[in-house]
Amino acid sequence: MLPQPLHVHRPGVRPPAGECAGPGALIAYEESDLRERARITTDGDLSSASIAAIGDGTVLASGQDGAARIDVETGRTLWRAASVPGRPCWKVAVLPDRDTAYCSRLGTVAEWDLQTGEPTGREFATLVDEACDVIPRAGGDGLLLHAPSAGATFVWALDGSGAARTLVARGRQLVGGISGDGVTVITKPLTGGPFSLWDIEKDAATGREAEWLSWVSPTVVENWSEPSGSTFLTTDGSSIRLDQEIVERMGEDIFPVPARPGPHAFVFAPQSDLFVAFDPTTGHRAGPFIEVPDIEGEMVHNRVSQSPDASRVALTYFDSGPRTTHTAVFDGRTGALVARGLAGTEGNVITHSGDLIAVTDTAVTRYGLDTLDPIASLPKPFSSGNTVEISDDERTMLIVGWDNRAALYGMRGRVKLADTIDAPSDELAQGAHLSHDGRLLVAGAAEGVIVWDLDPAVHAAAACEIAGRELTEVEWRTHFDDTRTTATCP
């Protein structure tokens, strides 16, 4: 074992205090007298740009040909990160307590897994034309990113919190959306376990744990357990059961789903072409049993939406015969088919003004509800979008993909707002939800649940703090979906 601590240096140059490196080789020196103790040859330039000691006898080094974790004692390269042509890691840093490494390139800082060198997918865009110094913050909850030439310093909160967003429910994951009052979400432990309602204002559990919880309306949650099946619990504590008539007609193996923005929920059953609306506040049937016609194989429910007056129901479903999805619109009072089409649809939502928004692999489109004729197109955020939610005032829309990436839209300007949000969650859960009033977005994060405040004034103040100046008219229109510029800086 080499004596510690050591300096690591490039050949032929007297090493200063600290660690440094050069192309082709690393040299380990004794700190006391700078005597050479080991010479480590590298495969190409893996060390001329930056080096960081990890504390276990290994170092993270980077150069023009890439970056690598190297064992100083044995000279062995433990892993080598994939290089990006023309964009080397000019500066590297490590957080051993989090088991992460950081690669600072021009304009961005990327996070790697310290054990494998693989990207974690988390990246911070500095948007400056220099590599930032990466400095761990006290407590290990974030990084300071300093760009000396640009005179800019950024804070990267590694728990996902930051300007206009707060981390709650630490150690838990989001598995259900926001209650109608914008206070409660459904969570479960990151490591698995029972479900629990979570008050995001008090950051505390509320009510008893359950095997399964799922919202069926803004004020009613389904509580399911193995011995007793489904019970519907209202936010005021009442307990409701589904009409026996529905159970007898559709069988015991049924599941309820919400139909935002309508007042009812719907019941589906596996291998059945039938579905039916019910009032989640009473459990009573609230419409006819609707049969989806001309199913060639088995029908699998994807998404259902109901108009606010319950007169129309839009169902996106998969038919295992032709192996494709369609969207059908039904009369909510008679069950008659009104329109059908939109092959390849993944998600849908009826707007409060009476149109239909549907998502496919290639498009986000607004349609006439009774004709399915296209009205307008919106920017497509990513390659999938199985869930669509729209605020009650119809100003804001959320699309969440199968991969739990989330995108917000400003509906007045038909623009995508800000960057796509990564919202990790259980494979059976939706990773992000929009509150009914459009003021909050909740999203899954690695450490818990992120609550985003969508008030434009909050974001404007945060932008002022970050930019250090007033936003331009173009910046305001781009990021806040508004043609008016507003003074935000004191």
Side-chain angles (χ1 to χ4, degrees), residues 123-191:
E123 200 160 327
F124 187 98
T126 63
L127 305 182
V128 295
D129 292 330
E130 64 177 297
C132 289
D133 297 321
V134 182
I135 307 164
R137 295 177 69 192
D141 61 345
L143 298 170
L144 293 177
L145 310 177
H146 179 59
S149 298
T153 301
F154 310 91
V155 176
W156 185 2
L158 298 175
D159 61 7
S161 61
R165 62 189 191 268
T166 306
L167 178 71
V168 299
R170 289 179 182 269
R172 304 186 69 83
Q173 67 178 22
L174 181 72
V175 290
I178 312 177
S179 58
D181 59 8
V183 174
T184 309
V185 297
I186 301 173
T187 68
K188 72 174 183 178
L190 287 169
T191 55

Side-chain angles (χ1 to χ4, degrees), residues 67-279:
R69 182 174 181 177
I70 299 170
D71 189 311
V72 177
E73 179 181 3
T74 64
R76 187 165 63 95
T77 297
L78 302 181
W79 52 255
R80 181 169 176 170
S83 61
V84 178
R87 299 187 63 212
C89 296
W90 292 113
K91 298 176 182 178
V92 293
V94 296
L95 285 181
D97 290 346
R98 291 181 61 91
D99 216 18
T100 50
Y102 298 87
C103 161
S104 182
R105 299 186 174 101
L106 300 185
T108 186
V109 179
E111 183 183 75
W112 292 338
D113 186 307
L114 186 56
Q115 298 302 318
T116 65
E118 293 293 324
T120 66
R122 299 210 301 179
E123 200 160 327
F124 187 98
T126 63
L127 305 182
V128 295
D129 292 330
E130 64 177 297
C132 289
D133 297 321
V134 182
I135 307 164
R137 295 177 69 192
D141 61 345
L143 298 170
L144 293 177
L145 310 177
H146 179 59
S149 298
T153 301
F154 310 91
V155 176
W156 185 2
L158 298 175
D159 61 7
S161 61
R165 62 189 191 268
T166 306
L167 178 71
V168 299
R170 289 179 182 269
R172 304 186 69 83
Q173 67 178 22
L174 181 72
V175 290
I178 312 177
S179 58
D181 59 8
V183 174
T184 309
V185 297
I186 301 173
T187 68
K188 72 174 183 178
L190 287 169
T191 55
F195 287 49
S196 176
L197 295 176
W198 199 271
D199 187 315
I200 58 177
E201 293 182 350
K202 298 178 180 179
D203 196 11
T206 176
R208 292 183 295 179
E209 294 181 335
E211 290 183 51
W212 173 272
L213 295 172
S214 177
W215 292 109
V216 292
S217 85
T219 59
V220 179
V221 65
E222 177 199 14
N223 182 335
W224 182 90
S225 63
E226 183 66 41
S228 58
S230 289
T231 301
F232 301 106
L233 304 175
T234 64
T235 50
D236 63 8
S238 303
S239 178
I240 299 158
R241 284 199 172 274
L242 197 63
D243 269 357
Q244 189 61 29
E245 173 197 15
I246 297 176
V247 177
E248 291 175 353
R249 179 74 182 272
M250 301 193 65
E252 295 284 346
D253 192 16
I254 56 178
F255 56 94
V257 295
R260 189 172 170 177
H264 302 139
F266 284 80
V267 167
F268 290 83
Q271 302 177 351
S272 173
D273 303 344
L274 284 177
F275 67 108
V276 64
F278 71 96
D279 184 339

Side-chain angles (χ1 to χ4, degrees), residues 19-38:
E19 285 86 17
C20 52
L26 302 177
I27 301 177
Y29 294 86
E30 292 283 5
E31 186 173 32
S32 59
D33 55 12
L34 299 183
R35 285 184 298 110
E36 182 178 322
R37 296 292 299 177

Side-chain angles (χ1 to χ4, degrees), residues 305-336:
S305 179
Q306 184 185 48
S307 61
D309 64 0
S311 65
R312 290 292 184 267
V313 178
L315 173 70
T316 297
Y317 62 92
F318 175 77
D319 186 341
S320 65
R323 299 194 61 79
T324 190
T325 57
H326 291 90
T327 293
V329 179
F330 299 89
D331 187 310
R333 294 156 297 195
T334 67

